[in-house]
Amino acid sequence: MSRTLTSGNEAVARGAWEAGVAVGVGYPGTPSTEVLENLVRYEGVRCEWAPNEKVAAEVAAGASMAGKRALVTMKHVGLNVAADPLYTQAYAGVRGGLVYLVADDPGMHSSQNEQDTRNHAAAAKVPLLEPSDSDEARRFTRVAFEISEKHDIPVIVRTTTRISHGKSLTAAEDPETLVTRSYVKEPDKWVMIPGHARARRRLLDGRLAGLAAYANDCDLNRMELRDPSLGIVCSGVVYQYVREALPEASVLKLGMPYPFPSDLVLDFNSRVERVAVIEELDPYLTSRVKALGVELVEHGLPSIGELSPRMIAEAFGETPLDQREAFNDLPPRPPLLCPGCPHRGVFWALDRMKAVVTGDIGCYTLGALPPLQAMDSCICMGASVGMAHGMEIAAGTDRPLVAVIGDSTFAHSGITGLLHMVYNGGHGTVVVLDNRTTAMTGHQGNPVSGRTIAGDPAPELDLEALGVALGAATVRVVDPQDLEATLAVLREETAAEHVSVVAAKAPCALLIGPTELRYAVDDELCSKCGACVRLGCPAISKEPSGIASIDVSVCVGCGQCVQVCRYDAIAETGPACDIGGGAS
Amino acid sequence: MSTVTTVVLAGVGGQGTILAGDVLAKVAVAEGFDVKLSEVHGMAQRGGSVDTIVRFGEEVFAPVIDLGVAEHLIAFELLEAARKIPYLAPGGRLVVNTRTIQPLPVLTGVFPPPVGLVPALEYEGAIFLDAEALACEAGSPRSANIVLMGAASVGLPFSAETWRSVIERRVPAKTVEANLRAFELGREACEGGACSS
Ligand SMILES: Cc1ncc(C[n+]2csc(CCOP(=O)(O)OP(=O)(O)O)c2C)c(N)n1
């Protein structure tokens, strides 16, 4: 069988397609995003971006009720949003197979927290599969649909960043031919009123017992007996680290860690002299193995962040490798707003106003970093709006108070916050940064930008009409590339005693690409005031003399710096010598 | 001992490390190796420090690496070369693009610009090349990532033929020629061990 180099995300899409999935739906979130972006390329699968994960899970639930197989995708924190449908779906079960792909991010490469989805699975009482490489991601996704239908339950496939964005050699199989299922009316299964739910709750325990029996002897969980002096229990990518670090050790690899295969673990324990559990994040396996009365080898590996082969090898007694010394005092390189980013105009204005800014999640969260530092909070998607209102009613501030939220984030969970603000008589100002895309996760369409996952045009959410309908007193549209105009509108609206929505509308700089213009600083006219440098544009630097300088190879010609220079020291220059058209 | 070779591509988000890593990994696959690749997308891609790790050998387990493990460090930028140096095994091969992209804390004057990186990296055994200049010479400034793959290829056990056929398939059709030239220029610059700078 020929095998190709495939990312975990591509492999999940392939596995879902092989399983005959009819519907794929999700909300973007690193590291899960590319699953749906790959699935949409397969013919015959209807794929959709949802405004948020809860809606995605509900769409998938409907597809399942209609008898079709459905995949719903999200990052770990997305499952908090989709937890409500999931927890009750466990009771109701499925008709067509229903699989949740949930991608965790140990180490928080691109996330605001590090929660461990295995806990959600146990709490929601739904089985969880955990692949260790791309080929398993494909096969486990396929099997997940079978388990889902056979045991009448939604199934989670949990990946982590190294699985989602790691590539390894992966096989491909032909798609299954499915027996067609269709909708049947089953109110005691699908209408979860208390009377029905109580019965389904009891049945759920029966289904879980069946799943536990399956977990104890299915080939997703695998015992590899080598040297009997040490046995390691592990799952996911950690299996690879263990194989590399402790090649002689016996291993119990759990591809299905929930329901927990207790009998298998006890069997493994009886075949090796000492047992250790090695896992990333929470002590999910550790606590369950311990509860069986198995005495564990202590190794002191952390439950924060990612593990690695050397960490494991050294925890089991290997001497550290010779290493080159790190260079001291290197400047950090935090991510930044791109040159030409329209968000910069809004943060420049908020910085000038010395506003208190409740923020949200997206590229624009980078406005919290120096030099603009114009954001005071970022907790979860949609939080900016409610938090601004909470601050207002609790204590107010002597400075202007503004909620800042991206277009995709506003559609995700900002609208209900605004409704709350209006309903409860608040006076908040909500700035929707409408850059026509979901930029942070790689430029997905969303209901505000009006483009589907397949790239087709869709109705654009009318932010002005929506603001009015929700009861905002004013809805203003500004061009954030026009800095003074943006500042003026924000000043007016924060001073006013009413709820206002300010839609800052200009496309993401990466969508439109560089303009033809380039700018340069006239050394004679530059007063060294630093106003342009404080924009935090990566094209602008401060020379040791204090004079500003613009790197034409980075400049995209947006002209924001021209607007903030009070000395007319920045003017057009020749085009960059970019011949264009390379690989990226 | 270990039959696995580890290559780290270190750069700044947006420099094309992801495409370069994909080309390298596909070359290793075409030459019959087991391969694992790992990289991080998302927020770091907005101008932050990024790296792509490619590991190949008879059987590769972990897609990640530890300090002191990599046989090859291909740095797309000077400061990132310095930052990632602890990944490189003693005796490993270090290829460094002489380009500097100053991070924001330096641009805004909060952090002093790093000094003396070139001699310090030279001491670590770096071979230098100006990938952007060679990319321009090849006809596309954005092919600097492929110039660096040319430079990397000199120390890797794959045939130039395989490299060329993977590049042909992997880059946009319009840029195939420029990228093939970029690869040759990077390779030539490093043949014989020392790169011209
Ligand atoms: C519940 C949840 N789902 C998904 C994400 C991942 N995520 C972070 S920001 C973002 C979208 C940002 O888009 P937008 O609000 O349009 O801002 P932009 O990046 O375009 O500035 C997403 C999907 C998350 N952090 N939390």
Side-chain angles (χ1 to χ4, degrees), chain A residues 27-30 33 53 74-81 110-112 341 343 360-365 380-381 405-410 412 433 435-441 443-444 446 508, chain B residues 46:
Chain A
Y27 182 71
T30 315
T33 313
E53 293 85 353
M74 62 196 69
K75 69 183 291 172
H76 59 324
V77 284
L79 191 55
N80 302 334
V81 180
S110 277
S111 305
Q112 67 269 36
C341 176
H343 298 333
D360 231 299
I361 309 190
C363 281
Y364 52 97
T365 314
C380 67
M381 290 190 75
I405 185 166
D407 51 354
S408 183
T409 308
F410 183 67
H412 180 281
L433 300 169
N435 62 350
R436 319 302 302 149
T437 187
T438 314
M440 178 92 281
T441 43
H443 297 104
Q444 292 75 29
N446 67 50
C508 169
Chain B
R46 296 277 173 269

Side-chain angles (χ1 to χ4, degrees), chain A residues 162 167 308 333 336 439 584, chain B residues 22 37-38 46 66 80 101:
Chain A
R162 299 295 175 183
K167 291 184 182 169
S308 72
R333 191 188 297 280
L336 39 75
S584 73
Chain B
D22 194 57
L37 174 149
S38 156
R46 296 277 173 269
D66 285 283
E80 294 311 310
I101 302 174

Side-chain angles (χ1 to χ4, degrees), chain B residues 10-21:
Chain B
V12 178
Q15 273 196 303
T17 50
I18 288 187
L19 179 116

